[in-house]
């Protein structure tokens, strides 16, 4: 099966693992960190929102020093009916906290929604001690 490239996919980084569906090879999410021991956090949301948040996270210069692992899952790319189904896509990883971002609202500015999602991710990472959180409200 020949798939066309996803031009809305985030830019690549050597500090990010791309998570793919085992049968189709479709990108279902991303994993940041894992180089230092720490908690596992899972953020889930629409693919468009997750892609843009990942693009912003990749620009963080302190990314390699994150403690634990941060998973970002594209809900519209996986089959799920419950929180357990979302976690099942991580292959047995025990998740310390899960945050589900709201669906993109077509009546609201997309940039504001991405900004809100980005800060939600940073606040969660700060709360769990994955990052120092200086400047994260």
């Amino acid at each position: 099966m020949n798939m066309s490239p996803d031009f809305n996919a985030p830019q690549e980084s050597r500090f990010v693992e791309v998570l793919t569906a085992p049968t189709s090879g479709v990108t279902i999410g991303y994993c940041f960190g894992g180089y230092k021991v720490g908690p596992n956090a899972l953020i889930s949301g629409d693919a468009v929102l997750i892609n843009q948040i990942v693009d912003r996270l990749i620009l963080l210069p302190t990314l390699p020093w994150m403690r634990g692992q941060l998973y970002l899952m594209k809900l519209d790319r996986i089959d799920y009916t419950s929180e357990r189904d979302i976690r099942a896509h991580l292959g047995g990883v025990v998740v310390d906290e899960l945050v589900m971002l709201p669906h993109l609202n077509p009546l609201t500015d997309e940039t504001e929604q991405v900004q809100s999602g980005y800060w939600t991710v940073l606040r969660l990472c700060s709360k769990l001690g994955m990052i120092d959180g200086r400047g994260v409200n």
Side-chain angles (χ1 to χ4, degrees):
M1 178 174 171
N2 187 9
M3 295 180 56
S4 60
D6 183 356
F7 293 108
N8 294 320
Q11 298 299 314
E12 290 187 25
S13 169
R14 64 185 184 146
F15 304 111
V16 180
E17 177 186 354
V18 176
L19 306 175
T20 57
T23 54
S24 66
V26 171
T27 299
I28 60 171
Y30 305 91
C31 176
F32 287 81
Y35 304 106
K36 294 184 179 184
V37 176
N40 295 313
L42 171 58
I43 303 282
S44 59
D46 293 337
V48 171
L49 184 58
I50 293 296
N51 285 342
Q52 291 185 46
I53 291 171
V54 168
D55 277 342
R56 295 182 89 183
L57 291 173
I58 287 172
L59 298 176
L60 293 174
T62 57
L63 186 64
W65 299 295
M66 179 189 302
R67 295 173 288 280
Q69 294 181 304
L70 171 65
Y71 295 91
L72 292 108
M73 299 291 293
K74 301 176 181 186
L75 288 181
D76 45 350
R77 301 282 172 91
I78 62 174
D79 291 325
Y80 72 97
T81 56
S82 70
E83 177 183 322
R84 183 179 1 208
D85 291 342
I86 296 169
R87 292 173 190 248
H89 287 280
L90 299 179
V93 171
V94 176
V95 176
D96 296 297
E97 190 148 350
L98 164 68
V99 172
M100 296 180 77
L101 298 173
H103 291 287
L104 285 173
N105 181 346
L107 303 176
T108 307
D109 181 27
E110 186 175 299
T111 304
E112 289 177 23
Q113 294 175 81
V114 170
Q115 179 85 349
S116 175
Y118 174 75
W119 285 105
T120 297
V121 170
L122 293 180
R123 280 192 297 275
L124 175 63
C125 290
S126 178
K127 174 185 153 190
L128 293 175
M130 299 171 77
I131 60 174
D132 291 333
R134 289 185 296 271
V136 177
N137 311 20

